[in-house]
Amino acid sequence: MTARAGEPFDVTRATSDAEAALSAPVPTAGPTTSEGEPATGEWTATRGEGFLLLPLWESGALTGVYGPEWNDAEAAAEANLTALVTELDRRWGPHRTVSMRVPLHRSRAGTPLPEPFRTLTAKDCYGDLTVWGPVPPAGPLGGPSAGPPAAPRWFALSLNQSDGDAPMLITALVSTRPITEPADQG
């Protein structure tokens, strides 16, 4: 469960959260740490060297949901992702896709992965990444900045589900380095 559990999807809020994440602190060194809501412990973010991973939306629970109802829930989650991608394409320009095929195979084989892919797989975030960047932390390319310009960052979205009963999640990844598919080592 994440701190987004129970929130209806709102593309305006998700876009605002995405843009805010671009300016959020990202560690330059140190261990990877997860953060949670103080009262519930529900996941709010994970930070590691050069990256920030956070949930933007979580579907309702899918325990006991099967057949057409499950397909409808999946279609709704995909529509939410598409709406957010469309808005970010409008603001930041066209995206590209980074496959999670290699990280999935490497994690199953026990082969080490570089960050942020190690954390993505540890959090069961195996959905392909929709990537923009570099995107200035101020938001839209060429947009106004509040203060001195910061280093550009790369931004990615993915739709994830850890198993058939788990909620679907739209996650955001902010990186200080280009987001590219790791090499296949097998």
Side-chain angles (χ1 to χ4, degrees):
M1 297 286 285
T2 74
R4 296 291 187 188
E7 291 181 0
F9 181 77
D10 178 344
V11 72
T12 302
R13 182 204 45 83
T15 301
S16 176
D17 290 349
E19 289 185 327
L22 284 170
S23 298
V26 174
T28 57
T32 299
T33 58
S34 287
E35 302 166 15
E37 283 289 324
T40 64
E42 292 174 326
W43 179 53
T44 58
T46 299
R47 296 174 196 276
E49 185 175 328
F51 75 93
L52 165 65
L53 177 66
L54 66 150
L56 292 180
W57 173 79
E58 179 178 334
S59 75
L62 296 174
T63 304
V65 177
Y66 304 102
E69 292 169 347
W70 194 93
N71 293 339
D72 291 346
E74 181 181 38
E78 288 173 352
N80 292 344
L81 178 65
T82 297
L84 184 52
V85 167
T86 299
E87 180 58 23
L88 295 180
D89 277 349
R90 188 183 71 74
R91 291 168 182 252
W92 299 339
H95 66 274
R96 62 187 171 79
T97 301
V98 172
S99 173
M100 286 294 289
R101 177 190 62 82
V102 169
L104 171 65
H105 293 299
R106 284 179 60 177
S107 71
R108 286 186 177 166
T111 306
L113 282 163
E115 289 291 9
F117 293 97
R118 186 195 67 76
T119 295
L120 286 166
T121 60
K123 290 283 188 189
D124 288 329
C125 294
Y126 291 107
D128 286 345
L129 301 172
T130 303
V131 179
W132 292 265
V135 177
L141 295 174
S145 174
R153 294 182 174 182
W154 285 258
F155 185 88
L157 293 173
S158 63
L159 178 61
N160 307 284
Q161 186 182 30
S162 60
D163 67 49
D165 289 336
M168 294 185 195
L169 302 174
I170 295 177
T171 56
L173 173 65
V174 176
S175 177
T176 59
R177 297 181 281 269
I179 300 171
T180 58
E181 185 176 357
D184 191 353
Q185 296 184 340

